[in-house]
């Protein structure tokens, strides 16, 4: 009999505790649905304390806020983060709650280095390809052009930085760099010259070719005087081939190639040039 009473008391206590718990859960749910916890603001801040250039209040209001579901307690922070990372120029985002009815989003923006391919995409300084309005890049100079197979973005960025350092020795700046589907490199410089560097046979192949070109470039410029070099092919083991409208090939092949003298143009007339290759 005493055992039965204890069992009944334990059962009653359990039911009482269960009822209290259910009441607490119900109360918490009821409280969480009060209007005071409806999201009142979503604040966007820079992740590193740097002024944001492309993500602003208008962008947030039009492109993100309407997609956030729930209130202070029920909003899915992972979903909010993912939504922000779909906004143009946003590279990465983190989200936290701020009592009693706000969300704070910290954003890292892409910093555009140049364009990628021919589909209006951009390459960032960290090697990420992203889609955004190129006109918003806020660059006073023309953006460099990049291209390459899918997955080669960071390799192209690393090679560009190397070439920029190497060509600085002869006061040249890379303006375009492409990696073909056969993994051959071509760089175009700010003086209009296009350089075929070819494929990397080993990790030093391109470095050697670039060093050879940089070493001989002042002599080429002196030889051509005012003529511009159009293309240079550095894929030869011990030499190079170039083309320029300022070069003429003599009838006597034993004579050295000389830079062409620019003809004096008569008033209101045009001069034609042809490209020769050695």
């Amino acid at each position: 009999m005493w055992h039965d009473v204890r069992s009944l008391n334990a059962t009653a206590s359990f039911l009482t505790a269960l009822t209290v718990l259910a009441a607490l859960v119900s109360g918490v749910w009821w409280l969480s649905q009060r209007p005071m916890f409806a999201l009142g603001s979503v604040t966007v801040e820079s992740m590193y304390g740097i002024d944001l250039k492309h993500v602003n209040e208008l962008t947030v209001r039009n492109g993100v806020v309407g997609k956030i579901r729930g209130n202070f307690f029920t909003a899915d922070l992972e979903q909010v983060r993912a939504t922000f990372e779909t906004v143009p120029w946003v590279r990465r985002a983190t989200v936290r709650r701020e009592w009693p009815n706000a969300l704070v989003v910290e954003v890292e923006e892409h910093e555009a280095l140049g364009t990628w391919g021919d589909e209006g995409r951009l390459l960032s300084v960290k090697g990420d390809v992203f889609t955004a309005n190129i006109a918003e890049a806020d660059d006073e100079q023309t953006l460099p052009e990049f291209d390459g197979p899918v997955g080669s973005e960071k390799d192209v960025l690393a090679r560009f930085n190397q070439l920029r350092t190497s060509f600085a020795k002869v006061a040249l700046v890379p303006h375009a760099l492409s990696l073909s589907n056969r993994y051959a490199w071509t760089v175009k410089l700010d003086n209009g010259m296009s350089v075929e560097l070819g494929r990397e046979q080993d990790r030093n192949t391109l470095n050697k070719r670039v060093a050879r070109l940089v070493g001989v470039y002042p002599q080429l410029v002196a030889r051509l005087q005012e003529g511009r070099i159009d293309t240079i092919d550095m894929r030869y083991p011990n030499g190079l081939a170039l083309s320029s409208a300022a070069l003429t090939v003599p009838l006597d092949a034993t004579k050295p190639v000389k830079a062409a003298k620019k003809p004096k143009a008569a008033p209101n007339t045009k001069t034609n040039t042809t490209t020769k290759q050695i």
Side-chain angles (χ1 to χ4, degrees), residues 4-132:
D4 291 340
V5 171
R6 287 197 304 174
S7 297
L8 289 174
N9 289 338
T11 301
S13 298
F14 174 76
L15 291 175
T16 300
L18 192 62
T19 301
V20 171
L21 180 60
L24 286 174
V25 171
S26 177
V28 169
W29 181 89
W30 177 86
L31 183 63
S32 70
Q33 302 304 308
R34 296 305 86 201
M36 66 176 294
F37 296 117
L39 289 177
S41 67
V42 178
T43 304
V44 179
E45 300 176 351
S46 171
M47 191 171 291
Y48 303 114
I50 303 172
D51 291 341
L52 297 174
K53 295 181 179 180
H54 306 288
V55 180
N56 52 43
E57 183 180 352
L58 181 62
T59 302
V60 172
R61 184 167 63 248
N62 293 342
V64 179
V65 172
K67 299 178 182 179
I68 298 176
R69 299 289 180 265
N71 61 18
F72 177 80
F73 292 104
T74 62
D76 185 340
L77 299 190
E78 181 63 20
Q79 181 266 332
V80 175
R81 179 198 62 77
T83 300
F84 266 88
E85 290 182 354
T86 65
V87 174
W89 294 103
V90 174
R91 180 176 186 267
R92 190 163 61 96
T94 61
V95 187
R96 71 175 188 271
R97 307 180 203 273
E98 191 170 88
W99 182 266
N101 61 353
L103 296 180
V104 177
V105 182
E106 292 188 344
V107 167
E108 177 188 0
E109 286 187 319
H110 285 294
E111 183 180 348
L113 175 63
T115 61
W116 181 269
D118 55 4
E119 299 178 356
R121 294 180 295 170
L122 293 164
L123 179 70
S124 78
V125 296
K126 294 188 176 180
D128 299 317
V129 172
F130 63 102
T131 301

Side-chain angles (χ1 to χ4, degrees), residues 92-231:
R92 190 163 61 96
T94 61
V95 187
R96 71 175 188 271
R97 307 180 203 273
E98 191 170 88
W99 182 266
N101 61 353
L103 296 180
V104 177
V105 182
E106 292 188 344
V107 167
E108 177 188 0
E109 286 187 319
H110 285 294
E111 183 180 348
L113 175 63
T115 61
W116 181 269
D118 55 4
E119 299 178 356
R121 294 180 295 170
L122 293 164
L123 179 70
S124 78
V125 296
K126 294 188 176 180
D128 299 317
V129 172
F130 63 102
T131 301
N133 186 352
I134 296 178
E136 296 177 355
D138 295 333
D139 200 307
E140 297 180 356
Q141 300 178 347
T142 303
L143 292 174
E145 300 174 2
F146 301 95
D147 199 7
V150 175
S152 66
E153 297 87 358
K154 286 181 170 54
D155 291 335
V156 172
L157 173 62
R159 179 63 61 186
F160 176 76
N161 289 330
Q162 291 173 359
L163 292 174
R164 187 160 51 180
T165 300
S166 297
F167 282 110
K169 298 173 184 177
V170 287
L172 292 174
V173 180
H175 268 202
L177 179 62
S178 64
L179 180 63
S180 73
N181 289 330
R182 298 187 64 186
Y183 292 89
W185 294 91
T186 301
V187 59
K188 188 171 184 179
L189 303 168
D190 60 335
N191 64 351
M193 183 172 70
S194 180
V195 182
E196 294 284 349
L197 293 172
R199 301 173 66 180
E200 287 191 84
Q201 298 169 355
D202 57 54
R203 63 181 183 178
N204 292 318
T205 301
L206 264 64
N207 292 334
K208 291 178 180 178
R209 290 174 180 173
V210 172
R212 182 152 44 89
L213 173 57
V214 169
V216 76
Y217 182 74
Q219 300 175 45
L220 297 176
V221 173
R223 184 72 174 273
L224 292 173
Q225 297 176 355
E226 296 182 6
R228 191 190 81 178
I229 301 172
D230 298 312
T231 65

